[in-house]
Amino acid sequence: MMTHASQLSDYAPLLYQGAKVTLKLTVLALVFGSVLGLIAGLARSSATWWLRLPAMAFIGTFRSIPILLQLFFAYYALPLLFKIDVPQYAAATLALSVYCGAYMAEVIRSAVESVDQGQRAGAMALGLGRVRMFVYVIWPQAVRVAIPAGVGVFVMTLKDSSLASVIGYLELTGTGLAVREIDPASGSFSVLVGVGAIYFLFAWVISFGGQLAERRLRIPGMIQERPRPAMTAA
Amino acid sequence: MSTLDFGALSPYMGTLLDALRVTLEISVLAVICSLPIGLGLAFLRTSRHLALRIPAAIYVEVLRNVPLLVIIYILFYGLPGYGLTLGAFTSGIAALTLNGSAYLTEVFRGGLIAIPRGQFEAARSLGLPQRHVLGSVVIPQLFRITFPALGNQVVGLILGSALVSVIGINELTHVSYVIGSRTFRYFEVFVVAGVLYLVAVQVLNRLWEVAGRRLRKGMVRQ
């Protein structure tokens, strides 16, 4: 155990560097993915067919293909196709953003659709136009519904950022693999478990942030409609 | 843009289809292994006893918050250091099972909560022994309630199975990468592989929807 402890301190700075890269990659993908997901999700729940159909195709396609294959596509196929240079971080950011966006779009769509029809009718009766109805009535309610599932997509994106190591990007997982290759005596198990623990910590922070946001945004007195288990007369 | 030539792939179509079969086999195996573990853990997770609830909760939380890729590496590279050497295939299935069962636990837990308490009480007041309460009353309802969510988990395992390519299992993603590096037709082969995944997932979704509609017909709704 003593040897493990001393070796852990040897490569801890490396894992710290890797963790920073993972964090940067994840945050970028979350920002781009959320914007993309918002646009695609709103288009998907639109009544206009030429907005809805492309959004459906986008969501259906990118949610049905493994992120690893999408990443390979971005890294190996795009450069050949367009004769451009795609560095590892760019391929990883692109693939993660698109994957995150497709999942986020579904979250946004179901949140928007969960808002009671009466709210739309009420807003219309008050004479609100489509834009103001959405901004002032629908969205504030939808965003609260979307938080738990949105947190799930955030955690998924964090975990999927580990795939960037497969194309040789030295983020957290890639660093862990490099450490175990350079120094086999470090004990693959402890290095990799350390890597896993850092992801766990990050995921926990995201979930905690989500709970905090849920609590901050809660409207006192507003009861959120939740599907309740049917009660039988027993 | 470089010229596309899907014809260059024609000698490899059989290989790609074989690889799709491997992907589906791995996924089905992982689903079969995950189901009983997830079901058992869901009962532990909803148990009255803290000593059962806590370990199940830890299992679920750890495996849902650590990347599948890291779990694959721990099983494949990490365990041999402790004298436990699993082959690539076993490691891959085990990692997918650990991951899948954690998600299934949460699905089943949600389902267990959704079964009306009266069902348990009625079954018990009919004098059914405990195992019949579970086997004939609880579990059939649980599967109907969770059926749509189970479909999502199966799709999740199909998509997740692509990750076992990193330890050299010849499933669809790995094989298409190898073909790409051999022919330099990355674009074509990844498009074909993507379409195969897309078709497999969409077909599964449709079948699941049809089966779900059938199941709902038999369900008593209030």
Side-chain angles (χ1 to χ4, degrees):
Chain A
M1 285 327 274
M2 280 306 288
T3 54
H4 271 178
S6 64
Q7 276 151 356
L8 187 70
S9 63
D10 286 345
Y11 55 71
L14 290 173
L15 290 189
Y16 175 72
Q17 287 303 319
K20 278 208 296 198
V21 177
T22 280
L23 213 53
K24 229 180 279 179
L25 177 61
T26 305
V27 168
L28 268 180
L30 288 180
V31 170
F32 292 138
S34 297
V35 172
L36 188 61
L38 186 62
I39 295 169
L42 294 183
R44 172 68 181 80
S45 37
S46 156
T48 319
W49 68 268
W50 51 266
L51 287 174
R52 197 174 58 242
L53 290 187
M56 276 172 81
F58 165 75
I59 297 168
T61 303
F62 288 96
R63 276 169 49 106
S64 304
I65 296 173
I67 171 75
L68 183 59
L69 189 66
Q70 296 183 32
L71 182 62
F72 280 165
F73 187 86
Y75 188 60
Y76 295 109
L78 287 187
L80 281 179
L81 192 65
F82 296 111
K83 302 263 187 285
I84 45 166
D85 189 37
V86 181
Q88 288 152 340
Y89 74 87
T93 309
L94 176 67
L96 276 175
S97 302
V98 169
Y99 197 67
C100 173
Y103 275 84
M104 199 51 99
E106 269 301 282
V107 172
I108 301 285
R109 179 193 65 86
S110 59
V112 167
E113 283 177 5
S114 78
V115 177
D116 195 274
Q117 278 302 323
Q119 296 288 323
R120 277 167 240 266
M124 236 183 280
L126 287 173
L128 293 186
R130 281 171 52 145
V131 174
R132 287 202 294 168
M133 178 201 296
F134 184 79
V135 174
Y136 295 119
V137 180
I138 308 296
W139 180 247
Q141 299 181 62
V143 75
R144 289 168 167 85
V145 176
I147 290 176
V151 166
V153 174
F154 275 34
V155 172
M156 179 194 79
T157 306
L158 163 75
K159 292 192 296 174
D160 285 340
S161 75
S162 65
L163 296 186
S165 66
V166 181
I167 56 168
Y169 192 46
L170 275 182
E171 38 64 81
L172 183 53
T173 304
T175 309
L177 289 176
V179 168
R180 76 163 275 281
E181 241 162 62
I182 295 162
D183 177 20
S186 65
S188 305
F189 193 77
S190 61
V191 181
L192 293 170
V193 168
V195 165
I198 297 173
Y199 280 108
F200 185 85
L201 189 75
F202 285 166
W204 189 83
V205 169
I206 293 175
S207 303
F208 185 74
Q211 280 171 13
L212 216 64
E214 250 185 296
R215 214 169 309 147
R216 286 291 303 266
L217 288 174
R218 183 173 296 149
I219 301 168
M222 193 181 109
I223 301 156
Q224 216 129 65
E225 285 287 332
R226 284 235 172 81
R228 289 179 162 278
M231 297 298 280
T232 50
Chain B
M1 263 175 69
S2 66
T3 49
L4 295 183
D5 181 13
F6 281 91
L9 289 182
S10 54
Y12 297 101
M13 273 322 285
T15 319
L16 282 171
L17 288 174
D18 278 344
L20 174 65
R21 212 194 58 225
V22 174
T23 282
L24 295 178
E25 280 170 4
I26 291 172
S27 312
V28 168
L29 263 176
V31 169
I32 291 173
C33 298
S34 304
L35 278 173
I37 300 175
L39 189 60
L41 284 170
F43 282 112
L44 297 184
R45 191 98 166 69
T46 51
S47 160
R48 256 165 300 167
H49 307 288
L50 215 60
L52 298 176
R53 219 162 55 216
I54 300 270
I58 292 174
Y59 179 93
V60 169
E61 286 308 313
V62 168
L63 288 168
R64 283 186 352 141
N65 287 313
V66 173
L68 175 57
L69 189 62
V70 175
I71 296 170
I72 292 173
Y73 285 139
I74 289 177
L75 295 188
F76 189 64
Y77 292 130
L79 285 186
Y82 287 79
L84 183 60
T85 305
L86 305 172
F89 194 78
T90 316
S91 305
I93 299 285
L96 285 170
T97 300
L98 287 171
N99 187 261
S101 61
Y103 281 94
L104 282 177
T105 303
E106 286 303 277
V107 169
F108 285 137
R109 184 176 73 120
L112 280 178
I113 294 169
I115 295 176
R117 285 236 62 86
Q119 294 287 326
F120 294 84
E121 288 155 14
R124 229 166 278 150
S125 67
L126 284 171
L128 286 183
Q130 186 65 33
R131 66 201 152 86
H132 283 182
V133 174
L134 288 185
S136 318
V137 179
V138 176
I139 291 178
Q141 294 192 66
L142 185 59
F143 269 95
R144 282 182 184 174
I145 293 171
T146 57
F147 192 76
L150 288 181
N152 288 337
Q153 296 307 316
V154 175
V155 169
L157 279 170
I158 293 177
L159 298 184
S161 75
L163 298 202
V164 303
S165 61
V166 297
I167 51 175
I169 295 176
N170 282 323
E171 47 65 70
L172 186 51
T173 298
H174 187 246
V175 166
S176 56
Y177 170 75
V178 172
I179 293 174
S181 59
R182 200 170 294 164
T183 60
F184 231 57
R185 293 282 167 198
Y186 283 114
F187 181 85
E188 291 89 337
V189 76
F190 289 151
V191 166
V192 170
V195 168
L196 289 178
Y197 275 113
L198 192 66
V199 169
V201 169
Q202 295 299 337
V203 165
L204 181 76
N205 279 341
R206 293 294 156 268
L207 287 178
W208 212 271
E209 249 171 56
V210 172
R213 225 170 292 145
R214 287 245 175 111
L215 272 180
R216 264 200 303 281
K217 260 185 210 158
M219 194 152 58
V220 186
R221 273 266 149 247
Q222 291 207 287

